[in-house]
Amino acid sequence: MDYFEKKVSDDLVAKGGIIDYHKVTVELPNGRLAKRDVIVHPGASVVIPVTEDGYIYLVRQYRTPAETETIEIPAGKLDPGEDPKECAERELSEETGFSGRITHITSFYSTPGFSNEVLHMYLATNLKAHDSHPDEDEFISTEKYSVEELLKMITDGKIIDGKTIIGILMADRYLKGTLGIDFY
């Protein structure tokens, strides 16, 4: 079966500072028309900072859309024309104060049902400490956890951010030597 949906029209409803909201009409494989709400996003990079002794650094912050405080891996949106690896390096430095070896491990859509946002995930190893310098509108703290603590926090519902859950599971595989990616 052909699942392709042909775009018939694309109307910009609202332009935001980070995202744009579009009303899209598509022709379905059976010839009928359907409406789609689409959020257009520039994409982002996320980075999992892993220490030599197997700890992971996460950031704590308040997220207004979720109306709660979250614990997340460092992340940030791509600037126009920015390479995702450079974005990961920038976000690692800004949010945690670390630099290190940055290795791409996967890219994925965050919510393909309504957004084109792609997250590029990196592992940061060989960490070197510097001063963090978050953006003016970021109020965050950096916290260090063992993978075992983080896995329990996921099952206990204390970590609720999807990219962070994926990152922790990938870091766990990396630390167990089963990730299947050559880092050297």
Side-chain angles (χ1 to χ4, degrees), residues 7-14 20-26 34-39:
K7 193 182 293 186
V8 175
S9 67
D10 185 340
D11 298 311
L12 177 65
V13 175
D20 296 335
Y21 170 46
H22 293 248
K23 282 284 209 187
V24 176
T25 302
V26 296
K35 300 280 186 192
R36 303 286 186 243
D37 292 326
V38 178
I39 300 298

Side-chain angles (χ1 to χ4, degrees), residues 10-111:
D10 185 340
D11 298 311
L12 177 65
V13 175
K15 187 160 188 62
I18 297 174
I19 62 169
D20 296 335
Y21 170 46
H22 293 248
K23 282 284 209 187
V24 176
T25 302
V26 296
E27 182 181 330
L28 302 173
N30 64 4
R32 298 175 104 177
L33 297 180
K35 300 280 186 192
R36 303 286 186 243
D37 292 326
V38 178
I39 300 298
V40 176
H41 188 283
S45 289
V46 300
V47 59
I48 313 152
V50 180
T51 66
E52 298 294 321
D53 56 354
Y55 284 84
I56 298 174
Y57 284 96
L58 300 182
V59 295
R60 182 181 297 270
Q61 62 189 321
Y62 186 83
R63 291 295 197 176
T64 300
E67 297 183 344
T68 193
E69 194 174 278
T70 62
I71 302 169
E72 304 176 32
I73 55 178
K77 75 171 186 64
L78 295 167
D79 289 335
E82 184 177 29
D83 178 83
K85 184 176 182 181
E86 290 173 9
C87 179
E89 291 168 341
R90 173 174 48 81
E91 291 300 325
L92 177 65
S93 175
E94 285 179 4
E95 296 188 4
T96 68
F98 287 108
S99 62
R101 179 182 307 208
I102 305 289
T103 306
H104 182 259
I105 54 176
T106 192
S107 293
F108 57 94
Y109 287 102
S110 62
T111 49

Side-chain angles (χ1 to χ4, degrees), residues 147 167-181 183:
V147 173
I168 291 166
L169 296 174
M170 297 294 264
D172 184 46
R173 289 191 63 198
Y174 163 73
L175 291 167
K176 289 177 178 172
T178 61
L179 189 56
I181 295 173
F183 289 89

Side-chain angles (χ1 to χ4, degrees), residues 85-181:
K85 184 176 182 181
E86 290 173 9
C87 179
E89 291 168 341
R90 173 174 48 81
E91 291 300 325
L92 177 65
S93 175
E94 285 179 4
E95 296 188 4
T96 68
F98 287 108
S99 62
R101 179 182 307 208
I102 305 289
T103 306
H104 182 259
I105 54 176
T106 192
S107 293
F108 57 94
Y109 287 102
S110 62
T111 49
F114 65 85
S115 177
N116 71 342
E117 178 187 35
V118 174
L119 297 176
H120 305 279
M121 184 169 281
Y122 293 84
L123 191 72
T125 56
N126 300 342
L127 301 177
K128 292 166 187 54
H130 308 284
D131 289 331
S132 65
H133 45 98
D135 292 335
E136 270 185 18
D137 62 349
E138 285 183 312
F139 294 89
I140 60 177
S141 61
T142 304
E143 302 173 1
K144 181 177 169 182
Y145 298 94
S146 70
V147 173
E148 293 74 26
E149 289 175 295
L150 293 172
L151 292 171
K152 181 160 179 20
M153 290 168 75
I154 291 169
T155 58
D156 290 347
K158 292 179 181 172
I159 294 179
I160 56 173
D161 175 62
K163 70 182 178 306
T164 301
I165 293 169
I166 293 168
I168 291 166
L169 296 174
M170 297 294 264
D172 184 46
R173 289 191 63 198
Y174 163 73
L175 291 167
K176 289 177 178 172
T178 61
L179 189 56
I181 295 173

